[in-house]
Amino acid sequence: MEIVILPGPDEVARVAAQRVADVVRRRRDAVIGLATGSSPLGLYAELARRVAEGELDLSGVSGFALDEYVGIPPEHPESYASVIRRTVTEPLGLAPGRVHVPDGRAPDLHAAADAYERAIGAAGGIDVQVLGIGANGHIGFNEPTSSFASRTRVTTLAPRTRADNARFFGTPDEVPVHCLTQGLATILEARRLLLVAQGVVKAVAVAAAVEGPLTSMCPASVLQLHPRATVLVDEAAAGRLRLADYYRYMHAHRPAGPAP
Ligand code: F6R
């Protein structure tokens, strides 16, 4: 795992955007896995800036969201369909028909989950999966005890996640209880993983994911199994890493050439 400690959220956004841009330069029709939430907003804003300034063309790119709430309509401002349209598809100039979000209103959610897996496969798999991390160590909405073998499925949001996401809704009770999420095995199949975390609120989860045991109690620890996983953290999110100086050393002395 590559761990990069950066001074602040702006540098996390810039380095993350560079990594995504590198993937798209190698493959114009790259498939990007899209996280929602606050963590990747700086990355998306930085990509949007590069697109607006003509440095980057993302018009050939496809996207697959990590997850979606169950039970709220896609036009709800906090549905991930809306969030992805607002923060990714429009500002980055992606072709709307190539941006996919699980269907949280499908009459048969299990069939919708299976269809989503098939759609990712039909697109050739995900080239780079952008991830945030929950304060409880979740990635996507794979909450603690999610199987490392899990695929896209309907599941239940942890109380902590509902409380954390209440800031996007009027009241905590309005946060849906269920969701569709890519599974941990689905995420592991992406060719690259790029996890971004900022702020002290993520420090315990980041340390558990990077330095803790491989355990479904910290779903993000599954990154330890991936051959090309990069974790970009700011100083605050790195605050509980015991081996921070080691990561700084390793990054400063990384082999020449493109990032892993
Ligand atoms: C969102 C997602 C979640 C978030 C995580 C962190 O699509 O999959 O895993 O990345 O809950 O959320 P923020 O970034 O809002 O702190």
Side-chain angles (χ1 to χ4, degrees):
M1 195 189 301
E2 180 194 23
I3 298 130
V4 187
I5 302 173
L6 295 153
D10 292 348
E11 289 81 4
V12 170
R14 267 200 296 278
V15 174
Q18 189 56 49
R19 295 299 178 93
V20 173
D22 288 345
V23 170
V24 177
R25 285 208 182 90
R26 278 194 295 268
R27 189 177 158 196
R28 210 187 153 271
D29 60 349
V31 181
I32 305 181
L34 301 164
T36 50
S38 308
S39 306
L41 290 178
L43 153 63
Y44 298 147
E46 175 63 16
L47 287 174
R49 185 193 66 73
R50 292 177 185 216
V51 168
E53 293 179 8
E55 291 170 28
L56 185 65
D57 175 11
L58 297 175
S59 60
V61 157
S62 302
F64 283 87
L66 267 175
D67 37 28
E68 176 59 292
Y69 294 114
V70 164
I72 57 173
E75 49 288 356
H76 187 294
E78 295 307 330
S79 78
Y80 285 168
S82 293
V83 172
I84 290 284
R85 190 179 336 105
R86 215 166 48 231
T87 63
V88 180
T89 312
E90 292 172 356
L92 273 59
L94 306 194
R98 281 207 281 264
V99 180
H100 311 271
V101 181
D103 182 0
R105 292 268 281 190
D108 183 341
L109 292 168
H110 303 286
D114 292 346
Y116 203 67
E117 284 275 333
R118 284 196 300 276
I120 293 173
I126 290 172
D127 290 299
V128 57
Q129 174 64 60
V130 174
L131 297 166
I133 184 170
N136 65 0
H138 73 214
I139 52 172
F141 279 141
N142 295 282
E143 301 286 22
T145 71
S146 291
S147 166
F148 288 166
S150 54
R151 313 294 318 190
T152 303
R153 66 198 184 288
V154 57
T155 186
T156 304
L157 291 171
R160 171 78 199 258
T161 303
R162 291 186 69 220
D164 286 348
N165 287 7
R167 68 190 193 279
F168 298 117
F169 290 81
T171 65
D173 286 347
E174 285 175 61
V175 183
V177 175
H178 296 116
C179 61
L180 282 170
T181 183
Q182 286 189 36
L184 293 175
T186 318
I187 292 169
L188 269 188
E189 281 174 4
R191 287 182 269 282
R192 286 186 162 73
L193 302 181
L194 186 61
L195 186 145
V196 290
Q198 311 88 348
V200 68
V201 69
K202 299 298 174 67
V204 168
V206 166
V210 171
E211 297 179 339
L214 186 64
T215 168
S216 67
M217 291 309 297
C218 177
S221 67
V222 78
L223 265 70
Q224 296 175 27
L225 292 175
H226 196 283
R228 285 176 170 172
T230 296
V231 174
L232 302 177
V233 287
D234 67 3
E235 289 285 354
R240 298 293 285 264
L241 290 170
R242 282 183 302 111
L243 300 179
D245 288 343
Y246 167 69
Y247 309 134
R248 290 186 225 279
Y249 173 90
M250 294 301 276
H251 184 63
H253 296 88
R254 67 194 180 283

